[in-house]
Amino acid sequence: MVFFALIALILLGVDSHMRSLAVVRQVISTALYPLQVVALAPRDALYYVGDYFSSLSDLKSENEKLKLQQTINGHTLQQGQQLLAENMQLRRLLGTAERLPVKSVLGEILYDTRDAFTRKIVLDRGLQHGVALGQPVIDHIGVVGQVTRVFPFTSEVTLLTDKNQAIPVQVVRNGLRSVAYGRGQSNMLDLRFMPTNADIQKGDILVTSGIDGVYPAGLAVATVSQVENKSVDVFARIVCYPTAGIDHNRQLLILLIENKLAPRPVDEAKEKNAKKAGILRHAASRTNGTSGQDAVEAAPTPASTSTSQAVSSAR
């Protein structure tokens, strides 16, 4: 050991003063490089395996974060699309409200009614907002339905396609008037009691006639989709498709229309007979001592009633 230590010291001194062992050092390091690589191979393999598993764990965590972010972005995108469609619908409704000659109030659908055999919805507008019974409900295209029940803060609307709903319509092409009836769950309308020779064709546009005093004239109602004229039938079978989005809209317009129609005229003969019968009943009730036979004799007979009706009609 002392011998090799002396050799090392001598080589260090010679290398520091003469700088002549650089070539020898390069040759020896080049020869020993493969041995160094072999010696360091287990360490490098251990580092590689650790880096692989750590990279795999990081990739999984990053993949989960990206999936979560994708889900959030998809939900946000859907909300943005829904808000965009709702904004477009509101713009159309506001434009429709400006064109209408009557006042209107914007309502939003809260829910459908529980009855599965009717076509009704509930809006978030009621008596406190000026809504009254019988007022029409429309969207930006045409008629949707009619208010049938009113509460302080909500109202029930019966859609046109309900089986108990009817609306007076008129054909735009020739002005022919009729009444459209709902068909229930089929989302279609019928023009009933139309003769087989009626001038109605497929594709005709139906609008409100305005003769009922509820719906303003000229509102789009439906389009004729099927016409069947059979010689054996008395009436034609006419099916119409509603123009408005019956099941597609979330916001609707309620037209604040007051019913200003005059009452129907009363038959004068019937009114006189009713007054006469009321007077006789009142007189009979006041004369308690009158016998049943006298009351019968005082009451008008059917013959006398018909005679008085004939005289009144002749006058």
Side-chain angles (χ1 to χ4, degrees):
M1 189 179 89
V2 173
F3 174 75
F4 285 108
L6 291 175
I7 293 175
L9 292 174
I10 293 171
L11 291 175
L12 288 173
V14 173
D15 182 55
S16 62
H17 291 288
M18 301 181 63
R19 307 287 182 184
S20 59
L21 297 179
V23 178
V24 178
R25 187 180 295 107
Q26 291 179 359
V27 173
I28 294 174
S29 63
T30 303
L32 295 177
Y33 179 75
L35 297 178
Q36 293 177 355
V37 172
V38 173
L40 295 177
R43 186 203 66 176
D44 295 338
L46 183 63
Y47 286 165
Y48 177 77
V49 172
D51 292 340
Y52 173 77
F53 285 107
S54 63
S55 300
L56 183 62
S57 177
D58 293 340
L59 287 175
K60 287 183 178 180
S61 176
E62 186 177 359
N63 190 17
E64 291 178 358
K65 291 180 180 180
L66 290 176
K67 287 182 178 180
L68 179 60
Q69 187 64 34
Q70 184 181 8
T71 304
I72 296 173
N73 292 337
H75 181 64
T76 305
L77 180 61
Q78 291 179 356
Q79 287 183 340
Q81 293 177 351
Q82 182 179 0
L83 290 175
L84 180 60
E86 185 175 347
N87 188 17
M88 294 176 62
Q89 175 66 16
L90 290 175
R91 288 178 180 273
R92 296 192 189 103
L93 289 176
L94 289 176
T96 304
E98 292 177 356
R99 294 192 301 267
L100 290 173
V102 297
K103 293 182 179 180
S104 61
V105 61
L106 183 65
E108 185 173 355
I109 299 176
L110 296 178
Y111 53 86
D112 294 337
T113 56
R114 298 179 179 179
D115 191 356
F117 299 98
T118 59
R119 302 286 294 162
K120 297 181 180 180
I121 57 176
V122 177
L123 300 181
D124 61 347
R125 293 293 184 267
L127 293 173
Q128 299 296 326
H129 307 90
V131 180
L133 192 66
Q135 291 177 343
V137 179
I138 65 171
D139 63 358
H140 65 282
I141 303 177
V143 180
V144 174
Q146 184 181 12
V147 177
T148 52
R149 296 180 68 184
V150 185
F151 305 96
F153 299 101
T154 59
S155 58
E156 184 183 83
V157 177
T158 302
L159 302 179
L160 288 182
T161 53
D162 187 84
K163 60 183 179 180
N164 296 323
Q165 190 70 4
I167 177 173
V169 295
Q170 188 173 13
V171 181
V172 176
R173 180 174 55 85
N174 53 17
L176 181 64
R177 292 194 304 270
S178 182
V179 179
Y181 296 85
R183 300 185 64 184
Q185 297 294 332
S186 61
N187 287 334
M188 302 294 285
L189 301 175
D190 281 335
L191 289 184
R192 302 176 186 173
F193 312 116
M194 295 295 295
T196 55
N197 59 351
D199 186 12
I200 296 181
Q201 303 175 3
K202 182 179 179 181
D204 282 344
I205 298 175
L206 306 180
V207 297
T208 53
S209 60
I211 61 175
D212 59 344
V214 177
Y215 298 95
L219 297 177
V221 177
T223 303
V224 178
S225 60
Q226 183 180 358
V227 179
E228 292 183 3
N229 296 324
K230 295 183 180 179
S231 59
V232 296
D233 296 334
V234 179
F235 301 109
R237 183 175 181 272
I238 303 173
V239 181
C240 307
Y241 185 79
T243 303
I246 301 295
D247 298 326
H248 301 159
N249 298 319
R250 184 67 183 273
Q251 291 82 19
L252 300 171
L253 278 180
I254 304 175
L255 303 184
L256 305 180
I257 298 177
E258 298 180 0
N259 189 4
K260 299 181 179 180
L261 288 179
R264 293 180 178 272
V266 182
D267 192 353
E268 296 180 358
K270 292 183 179 179
E271 186 177 4
K272 290 180 180 180
N273 292 332
K275 289 182 179 179
K276 186 182 294 183
I279 293 173
L280 292 175
R281 283 196 301 269
H282 180 66
S285 62
R286 292 184 62 181
T287 58
N288 295 326
T290 306
S291 62
Q293 182 66 27
D294 296 336
V296 172
E297 293 176 356
T301 60
S304 61
T305 302
S306 58
T307 305
S308 60
Q309 291 180 355
V311 172
S312 300
S313 60
R315 289 179 181 176

